[in-house]
Amino acid sequence: MSTEAPERQKFTIGKNPGRSRAHNRRVVLDLLRSHGQLGRKQIADMTRLTTQAVANIIDELLAENLLVDMGRLRSGRGQPPVQFAINPDGAITIGFEISVSHLVTTVLDLHGQIREQASVALTDTGPAALIPRIVAEVAAIRLRFPAALLGVGVVMPGPFEIEGLSGVGPTTLPGWAGIDATAQLAAQIGVPVVIENDANAAAVGESLFGAGQGLSDFCMIYFGGGIGLGMIHDSQPIRGAFGNAGEIGHIVSAPGGRPCACGQSGCLERYASLDALRERLGPAATGDLPVLLAQEHPAMLEWLAEASAHLAPVVTMLENILDPETVILGGELPDALIDALIARLTLGTSVANRRNRPLPRVIRARTGHRIAALGAAALPFFDTIVPKLDTGVGLSAPQRSAAHD
C-alpha cells in the first residue's frame, strides 16, 4: 500500500545530458498526452528539465507537426504563458492482429484514438500470404491518412521458435518459424516494425488505454483462443530473452490431464481458455456466450467452475513471484464471462493479501475484446511516447534540476 499523500503523483523525469535527448522527447510527449496542454515552464518544472531544454524539444516537435501551439492561457496576472498540446493529426501508428481465423487492422492517431479498425476472415495465415497483404494494407492506409507513420505493430499468438512444443494446434499459427518477418516488413514498409505475442500487446494496450493506466506493475491474463500472460514491470513490458515471457498456457496445471497440442498433458490452456470453453459447449459453441451464461447453460457453468479452479493457483503464483499491483483479466472473452470467472475465483494466501489495497487482487480489462488489435497499434505508439528511463515521484510542480542541457 502506498504511504504517499493523495496530492503526490508519479510521473517521468527528464535527463538533462544531451545523450538523453530521445528520452526527453518521450517525456514531454507523455506529459502532454496525460495533461492535455501545458506551458514551457510547467513542463520544465514537472520534468526537472531546464527551460531551454524544453524549449528546444518543443521547437523540434512543432517542426515535426507532433505538437500544436494553443495560444496563450488567459488567466492570472502578467504575461500569460503559451500552451502546447499534442497534435492528434500529426502522426499515426498501424497495428495488425493475426489470429487463426482473422486479421484485425487498427489505426491510432497521436492521441491514441482509434481512427479506423477493420476485421477480415483469413483462410491462409502463413507468412507468404500475410506479409504481402500487410504491406499492401499499410500502403492503402497511408493514402487515406497522410500523417507521418511512426511504426507498425504486428501481434500473433505465441510461443515463438520453441523446440519441444509442436506449435500446431487450434490456438497457434504454423509456418512462421525461421521467418524474419520483422526485417522483411520493415524493409518493404520503410518504418520501424515490432512483432509481439498477443498477450504482451494486450498488456501494452491496457497500460495505455485501459485498467492499467497509472499502474507501473501489473499482470494481464489474456484469453485468446488459448491463454497467455502479459506483464508490465516499471511501466515496461517483460518480453524475455526470446519474446516468450508469459507463456502460461502451457504450464501444466493438471499433471496427467487432457492431452495438449504442444505434446504435454494437463496444460492450463486445456481447461481455462476460450478454446476449452467452445470444446465443452460443443454444438452450443456457436451461440451467444453471454446469453448462454444468462441461461445458466450447464456446460457454461461447468467450464466456469473448472476454469476458475485452474486459474486461482496461477494468480496466486503470479502474485508471489511478481508482486503486481493487480492481475487484469481480458481478451476475447465477453465481459460478462470475465466477471463471472472473477466472481468464482477462490484465491489462496499470497503477498497480495494486504489491508487497504488500492485495487482488488483481480480486475477486468476495460479495452474490450479487441484489446490485442489495439495493442498491436499501441506498440509503436508506446515506443514513441512512453519514456523508458527513470520515473520520479513529486508534487504537481516540483523544483526543476539545476543541471544544464
Side-chain angles (χ1 to χ4, degrees), residues 2-372:
S2 172
T3 58
E4 295 168 355
E7 67 271 16
R8 295 174 71 87
Q9 57 181 312
K10 177 178 277 191
F11 55 89
T12 310
I13 61 175
K15 293 282 193 176
N16 278 295
R19 61 184 172 83
S20 301
R21 190 172 189 84
H23 169 71
N24 292 343
R25 280 171 54 100
R26 285 192 287 266
V27 167
V28 172
L29 286 169
D30 189 46
L31 195 63
L32 288 170
R33 183 180 71 88
S34 59
H35 284 73
Q37 61 183 58
L38 295 167
R40 289 186 181 91
K41 188 176 185 303
Q42 287 175 293
I43 296 171
D45 286 342
M46 297 176 75
T47 62
R48 304 180 196 175
L49 290 167
T50 64
T51 304
Q52 185 58 54
V54 170
N56 292 341
I57 292 169
I58 287 176
D59 287 345
E60 184 178 290
L61 294 173
L62 285 169
E64 296 174 18
N65 203 33
L66 300 183
L67 294 187
V68 289
D69 183 330
M70 303 297 291
R72 294 189 180 277
L73 181 66
R74 300 294 179 184
S75 64
R77 299 172 60 183
Q79 179 77 332
V82 175
Q83 300 287 291
F84 300 94
I86 283 179
N87 177 13
D89 299 319
I92 61 169
T93 62
I94 303 174
F96 295 92
E97 180 203 0
I98 306 170
S99 77
V100 296
S101 61
H102 61 267
L103 175 71
V104 180
T105 305
T106 304
V107 180
L108 291 183
D109 66 22
L110 202 55
H111 263 320
Q113 298 298 311
I114 295 177
R115 290 294 186 94
E116 185 174 285
Q117 191 169 68
S119 177
V120 295
L122 291 177
T123 56
D124 187 346
T125 59
L130 284 183
I131 288 178
R133 184 168 187 165
I134 288 171
V135 172
E137 184 61 27
V138 169
I141 290 171
R142 297 184 83 167
L143 291 176
R144 296 195 296 274
F145 296 91
L149 176 59
L150 297 180
V152 172
V154 179
V155 304
M156 60 183 70
F160 302 141
E161 306 278 358
I162 301 298
E163 297 178 6
L165 294 181
S166 70
V168 177
T171 64
T172 55
L173 298 176
W176 289 83
I179 301 294
D180 191 348
T182 302
Q184 290 188 33
L185 287 169
Q188 295 182 58
I189 295 172
V191 299
V193 174
V194 58
I195 293 183
E196 186 60 88
N197 69 62
D198 49 9
N200 261 351
V204 168
E206 197 67 25
S207 176
L208 286 173
F209 310 116
Q213 289 185 82
L215 303 182
S216 59
D217 288 83
F218 68 87
C219 294
M220 178 163 187
I221 295 178
Y222 174 76
F223 297 91
I227 185 168
L229 173 69
M231 296 169 285
I232 300 294
H233 173 63
D234 282 346
S235 301
Q236 299 298 315
I238 297 176
R239 292 185 167 100
F242 304 101
N244 289 311
E247 189 53 52
I248 62 169
H250 296 290
I251 290 176
V252 175
S253 63
R258 296 171 190 161
C260 181
C262 75
Q264 302 183 110
S265 296
C267 291
L268 177 66
E269 188 171 290
R270 297 293 290 116
Y271 301 90
S273 65
L274 181 56
D275 188 63
L277 170 58
R278 289 171 176 153
E279 182 180 293
R280 182 175 283 276
L281 286 171
T286 57
D288 186 278
L289 296 180
V291 170
L292 294 175
L293 174 65
Q295 293 172 345
E296 298 187 343
H297 190 286
M300 172 69 75
L301 298 182
E302 289 168 6
W303 177 82
L304 283 169
E306 185 173 69
S308 61
H310 284 267
L311 275 176
V314 172
V315 170
T316 302
M317 176 184 67
L318 292 173
E319 291 172 335
N320 281 329
I321 294 174
L322 298 169
D323 193 21
E325 294 170 78
T326 190
V327 176
I328 301 173
L329 304 191
E332 295 181 20
L333 277 181
D335 288 350
L337 265 70
I338 294 178
D339 289 340
L341 194 56
I342 292 173
R344 287 165 171 78
L345 289 176
T346 302
L347 300 176
T349 301
S350 78
V351 297
N353 289 97
R354 298 185 306 276
R355 293 182 180 178
N356 301 321
R357 287 181 55 91
L359 288 171
R361 290 170 66 178
V362 181
I363 62 175
R364 172 168 50 82
R366 294 205 304 258
T367 48
H369 71 281
R370 285 187 172 175
I371 182 174

